[in-house]
Every structure is written in structure tokens, then in C-alpha cells.
């Protein structure tokens, strides 16, 4: 169809009492842009009010008004009628109200989208439960790859609709989250055991990498794009001995470094962008697979869990609306420490303690809340205990024998503990001195009180 034959829909919000409204309607009518029926309808619904019908005797031989030329003034009430007040629906909508209506409309679309995705997943589950065994590993992965490509193509089509930007972003996120799952399934199905599988793996790997590049836009943050793609490729080769452990820690540390650099460069700008979501999910997926599928001993992954928790807290620490991420990250830090503290030597637990002190120090610097100082004091206190456990048992026994030779055996274990923790009390006093130099007298007083209580307790047990 010719582009000149298309109809254009124009919506206007005009006050009913605008002085130029009648002239504008009449000009549109004379130009043929609107019809007489449309003008009649507008005037009857918007520019008229009910009036008592006057008793007028009409002559039988009067001409039919329908046969006369019609203008805008023919549809108006008498001049002595009061002008109608504009209705609420006719008043112009403010800009915030228009934004709210657009947002609510898009939210509705997103809910419909999620409903459709849910139905697809449910139907796929029914198919998997009934017919999944009838498919070969090649066919099973082909279905997953097809889902991924459908999500990506739909996101490309919806991106052309200016009123569905939130829906476009949702589909892009869904596509990015499915891509590392594809690499996991390629490795889990061992598709490279036959030639058709090798061909499918090569095509899928290149295609999924290209989709990741197009979605993440590496011109903005090339290191984030490389990290996200690398996290997907780290899902390969897990059948080799030691590969799950190495891949999990390599991906976790790389994601932490990339996210830290990204957060520093985007300070005050956009957070939780597509690269951030892709890198965070990719590292968590490696950890999840290592624990649930590869059956890596949990006490070997305590530091990886702690690093993941630290990343979540660090990214959400400046956003009050991200409290859930802070709670989740804190829980992962505690779980990682609880897992690693039983390992001898407890290097993983010491590293998690350092990450916790980093977060607490940052919170104290930003907010100055006393709770951060108290929590940091106790975290550091148990860190001293962990350092003692790092010392080899032979050296520990030698130190104890030396102290017994100097002071005897009576109360030696408790006394040695009191002496061993005393340098930490001195470090707390030094930190209080530094807080006074930084013009934080209230925090300095709190640190001095903590040092006094700890020193008194150590004196009692000594």
C-alpha cells in the first residue's frame, strides 16, 4: 500500500472554552480533514448542554434542514446559553499522569509476558515429563537453544515498539540468563562425543557469543562483556578432575574484580545494568552447579560463597531500595564463614573476615553509624582467633611449652589467651586515636569503651 494512503491518528486535548476552537473546527471542515458527522458528534457531546425545548410552530412547507449546507455554527446552542464546563475526561492530562499511565500499561504488558513465559515453561515441563526421554541429548539441547533464540528474536522485534521498552529490557535479561545455561547443558550432555554434536556445539557457541556481544554492547564496558562471556565458557570441561573447583573460583574472582571496576566507573550513574546482571548471574550459576551437580566438597567453596555475598552487598550498599540484596549478601558471607571456619588452616575464613571488615569499614566511613564500629570490633576479634589457628600445631605446642616454662602450668591456657588478644586491644585504642584526628569524637569514645571492656575481660581471664 502506498505510504500516502495510510491514515494518521491524531489525538488532541483542548479546553472546551478555548476561543479558537470553533474557528479551528470550521477550518478543518472546510479543508475536508473532518466530516460533517464527526463535527456533529463533537458538538453534540462536548459543546452542548441540555436546554428546555422551546415551543416553536413549524410551517409544513419549511425546507428540510438536512438538505442545507452544514457549518460548525449550525450545531451550536443559542448564544444566550451558558457555556458548558469542561469535563474531567476533556481536561489536558499532566505529564506525570501520562508517565504513570504509560508505566501502568507497560507493567500490564510485562505481567502478560511473564504469564506467557510461565505457560511456556509449564507446557515444556509437561512435555519433558511425558516425552523427554524419547529425545536424544542432541534433540534436548536443540529445544533449549530454540528457546534462547526465540527470546532474542522477540526482544529484537519488541525493541522497535517505543512504548514497550520495559518489556524489551525484560526479554534481554531473560536471554542473557539463559545463555550460560546453554553452555552448561552443552557440557552436561557431552555433545562433542559425536560429529553432529560437535557441529551443533560449534554453531551454538559462536551464535550465543555473538548474541551476548550484541546485548551487552562492549563499547561501553568491554571488560564486563569479556567477563560475562568467559563465565559462560567456564561451564565447559567439568568432566576433568579439578575443573569444577578451578572454574568456580576463577569465575567468582573474575566477576568480583570486574564488578568492582564497573561500580567505580559508574558511580553516580546507572546501576544494575545488563552487564552487571549477566556477570553476577554467571558467577552464581557456576557456584550453584559446583555445589548441586559437580558435588564439590562444601568446605572447599566457603570462600567462593563469601565472595559472592560480598559482591551482592557491595553493589547494593548505596541503594536503600536494594535491602534484599544486602540481606542476601550478608547471609552468604555468614554461611561462607561458617563453612570455612572448620577447615585447618582457616585461610578461607580469614579471607572472608577481611571482606566483612572491608564492608563494615566502608559503611562506617559513609554513614558514621556506631553499629558498624561495634560489628567490626567483634569481627576483628574473631579474626585474631583465626590467625592463631593458622599457626601449625607443632609451633602452637612449642609456644605453650615456652610460656609454661616461664609462668608455670596454673591457669596457663586462659592466661595465654588473654596475652595473645592484648595486641588487638592496643590496636583498638590506636584506632580510637585516629578517629579523634578525623573529627569523629563520638565514634572515638565508643572505640575506647570497647577497648576498655575487652581489656578488662582479658585481664580477668589472665
Amino acid at each position: 500500500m502506498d505510504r500516502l494512503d495510510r491514515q494518521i491518528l491524531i489525538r488532541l486535548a483542548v479546553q472546551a472554552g478555548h476561543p479558537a476552537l470553533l474557528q479551528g473546527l470550521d477550518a478543518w471542515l472546510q479543508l475536508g480533514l473532518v466530516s460533517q458527522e464527526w463535527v456533529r458528534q463533537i458538538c453534540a457531546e462536548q459543546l452542548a448542554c441540555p436546554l428546555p425545548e422551546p415551543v416553536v410552530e413549524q410551517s409544513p412547507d419549511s425546507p428540510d434542514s438536512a438538505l442545507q449546507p452544514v457549518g460548525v455554527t449550525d450545531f451550536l446552542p443559542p448564544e444566550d446559553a451558558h457555556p458548558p464546563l469542561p469535563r474531567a475526561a476533556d481536561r489536558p492530562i499532566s505529564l506525570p499522569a501520562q508517565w504513570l499511565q504509560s508505566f501502568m500499561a507497560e507493567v500490564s504488558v510485562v505481567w502478560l509476558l511473564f504469564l506467557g513465559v510461565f505457560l511456556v515453561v509449564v507446557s515444556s515441563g509437561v512435555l519433558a515429563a511425558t516425552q523427554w526421554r524419547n529425545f536424544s541429548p542432541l534433540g534436548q539441547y536443540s529445544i533449549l537453544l530454540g528457546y534462547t533464540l526465540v527470546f532474542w528474536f522477540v526482544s529484537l522485534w519488541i525493541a522497535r515498539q517505543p512504548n514497550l521498552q520495559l518489556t524489551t529490557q525484560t526479554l534481554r535479561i531473560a536471554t542473557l540468563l539463559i545463555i550460560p545455561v546453554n553452555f552448561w547443558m552443552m557440557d552436561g550432555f557431552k555433545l562433542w562425543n559425536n560429529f553432529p554434536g560437535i557441529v551443533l556445539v560449534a554453531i551454538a557457541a559462536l551464535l550465543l557469543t555473538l548474541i551476548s556481544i550484541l546485548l551487552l554492547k562492549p563499547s561501553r564496558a568491554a571488560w564486563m562483556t569479556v567477563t560475562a562471556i568467559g563465565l559462560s565458557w567456564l561451564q565447559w570441561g567439568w568432566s576433568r578432575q579439578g575443573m569444577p573447583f578451578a572454574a568456580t573460583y576463577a569465575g567468582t574472582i573474575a566477576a568480583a574484580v570486574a564488578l568492582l571496576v564497573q561500580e567505580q566507573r559508574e558511580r553516580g550513574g546507572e546501576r544494575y545494568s545488563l552487564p552487571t546482571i549477566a556477570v553476577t548471574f554467571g558467577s552464581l550459576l557456576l557456584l550453584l552447579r559446583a555445589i548441586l551437580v559437580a558435588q564439590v566438597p562444601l568446605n572447599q567453596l566457603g570462600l567462593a560463597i563469601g565472595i559472592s555475598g560480598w559482591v551482592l552487598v557491595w553493589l547494593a550498599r548505596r541503594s536503600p531500595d536494594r535491602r534484599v540484596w544486602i540481606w542476601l549478601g550478608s547471609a552468604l558471607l555468614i554461611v561462607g564463614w561458617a563453612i570455612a571456619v572448620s577447615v585447618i588452616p582457616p585461610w578461607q575464613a580469614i579471607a572472608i573476615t577481611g571482606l566483612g571488615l572491608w564492608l563494615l569499614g566502608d559503611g562506617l566511613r559513609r554513614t558514621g553509624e556506631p553499629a558498624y564500629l561495634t560489628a567490626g570490633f567483634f569481627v576483628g576479634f574473631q579474626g585474631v582467633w583465626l590467625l592463631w589457628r593458622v599457626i601449625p600445631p607443632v609451633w602452637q605446642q612449642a609456644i605453650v611449652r615456652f610460656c609454661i616454662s616461664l609462668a608455670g602450668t596454673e591457669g596457663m591456657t586462659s592466661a595465654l589467651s588473654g596475652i595473645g588478644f592484648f595486641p588487638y586491644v592496643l590496636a583498638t585504642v590506636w584506632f580510637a586515636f585516629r578517629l579523634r584526628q578525623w573529627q569523629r569524637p563520638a565514634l572515638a569514645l565508643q572505640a575506647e569503651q570497647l577497648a576498655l571492656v575487652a581489656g578488662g575481660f582479658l585481664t580477668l581471664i589472665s
Side-chain angles (χ1 to χ4, degrees):
M1 183 176 65
D2 191 358
R3 296 177 58 91
L4 298 178
D5 295 333
R6 295 185 304 172
Q7 294 184 353
I8 301 177
L9 178 62
I10 300 177
R11 295 182 179 179
L12 297 176
V14 184
Q15 292 284 353
H18 196 285
L21 176 59
L22 302 181
Q23 291 85 344
L25 288 176
D26 188 59
W28 281 14
L29 182 63
Q30 299 301 327
L31 292 174
L33 296 177
V34 295
S35 63
Q36 296 181 359
E37 291 77 10
W38 184 84
V39 174
R40 184 187 300 274
Q41 180 181 357
I42 291 295
C43 294
E45 294 180 356
Q46 309 293 342
L47 304 177
C49 58
L51 294 175
E53 296 183 1
V55 180
V56 179
E57 296 182 358
Q58 297 182 354
S59 174
D61 54 353
S62 60
D64 189 358
S65 59
L67 302 177
Q68 302 298 325
V70 181
V72 172
T73 55
D74 297 328
F75 307 127
L76 299 179
E79 295 182 0
D80 57 347
H82 297 285
L85 295 176
R87 300 184 303 179
D90 302 328
R91 296 171 186 170
I93 303 176
S94 62
L95 187 60
Q98 295 178 4
W99 290 348
L100 180 59
Q101 291 180 0
S102 300
F103 174 75
M104 293 303 296
E106 189 154 342
V107 166
S108 300
V109 173
V110 171
W111 277 111
L112 290 175
L113 173 65
F114 278 119
L115 179 59
V117 172
F118 175 76
L119 292 177
V120 170
V121 172
V122 170
S123 61
S124 302
V126 174
L127 175 63
T130 57
Q131 302 294 333
W132 190 253
R133 295 182 179 179
N134 297 331
F135 291 96
S136 64
L138 194 66
Q140 293 174 10
Y141 176 70
S142 299
I143 295 175
L144 177 61
L145 180 61
Y147 272 119
T148 308
L149 296 179
V150 166
F151 271 98
W152 182 54
F153 282 124
V154 173
S155 68
L156 292 178
W157 177 75
I158 294 183
R160 302 177 182 178
Q161 314 300 322
N163 297 328
L164 298 176
Q165 295 304 312
L166 182 58
T167 306
T168 303
Q169 192 77 351
T170 303
L171 286 173
R172 287 174 177 173
I173 293 174
T175 306
L176 283 174
L177 298 186
I178 300 176
I179 287 176
V181 178
N182 276 262
F183 283 86
W184 176 356
M185 292 299 102
M186 281 188 276
D187 183 72
F189 287 140
K190 296 180 175 59
L191 298 180
W192 41 74
N193 289 337
N194 52 71
F195 180 75
I198 294 176
V199 174
L200 180 60
V201 166
I203 295 175
L206 294 177
L207 187 59
L208 294 174
T209 302
L210 178 60
I211 293 175
S212 299
I213 294 174
L214 295 176
L215 290 175
L216 296 176
K217 299 178 181 178
S219 59
R220 298 182 179 179
W223 69 92
M224 292 290 287
T225 302
V226 172
T227 303
I229 295 174
L231 291 173
S232 296
W233 285 75
L234 281 175
Q235 296 284 351
W236 280 4
W238 282 46
S239 58
R240 298 180 179 179
Q241 185 69 24
M243 185 60 184
F245 176 84
T248 301
Y249 271 97
T252 302
I253 295 174
V257 173
L259 291 171
L260 180 60
V261 174
Q262 178 77 352
E263 194 273 341
Q264 292 293 328
R265 295 200 175 188
E266 288 189 352
R267 179 171 295 180
E270 180 187 5
R271 292 187 179 90
Y272 309 106
S273 58
L274 286 178
T276 301
I277 295 174
V279 171
T280 303
F281 179 78
S283 62
L284 292 178
L285 188 64
L286 286 171
L287 185 60
L288 184 66
R289 183 185 179 188
I291 296 174
L292 300 181
V293 180
Q295 300 295 321
V296 177
L298 197 59
N299 56 9
Q300 297 181 8
L301 298 176
L303 180 57
I305 296 174
I307 293 175
S308 300
W310 172 81
V311 168
L312 291 179
V313 177
W314 184 263
L315 295 179
R317 72 193 190 284
R318 299 178 183 272
S319 302
D321 57 335
R322 299 291 180 176
R323 292 291 181 184
V324 176
W325 294 104
I326 295 179
W327 296 339
L328 178 60
S330 302
L332 289 177
L333 274 172
I334 296 174
V335 170
W337 178 88
I339 292 173
V341 74
S342 61
V343 181
I344 301 297
W347 289 114
Q348 296 184 68
I350 292 175
I352 295 174
T353 299
L355 294 176
L357 289 175
W358 186 349
L359 293 174
L360 293 172
D362 178 77
L364 181 64
R365 179 185 59 82
R366 290 185 296 105
T367 65
E369 295 182 2
Y372 287 106
L373 179 59
T374 303
F377 174 81
F378 287 105
V379 170
F381 197 85
Q382 63 86 32
V384 176
W385 170 66
L386 292 175
L387 289 175
W388 166 256
R389 297 183 61 198
V390 170
I391 301 176
V394 177
W395 292 12
Q396 292 180 2
Q397 295 175 5
I399 294 173
V400 172
R401 285 196 300 267
F402 176 75
C403 294
I404 290 176
S405 65
L406 294 177
T409 59
E410 185 176 357
M412 177 47 63
T413 305
S414 300
L416 186 60
S417 300
I419 296 174
F421 280 102
F422 189 71
Y424 183 72
V425 177
L426 296 180
T428 306
V429 175
W430 173 83
F431 186 65
F433 174 73
R434 297 291 296 175
L435 286 173
R436 290 195 182 277
Q437 289 184 334
W438 297 334
Q439 304 300 321
R440 296 290 185 91
L443 293 176
L445 178 60
Q446 182 185 1
E448 292 170 350
Q449 292 173 349
L450 290 172
L452 178 62
V453 172
F457 174 74
L458 295 177
T459 302
L460 289 177
I461 66 174
S462 299

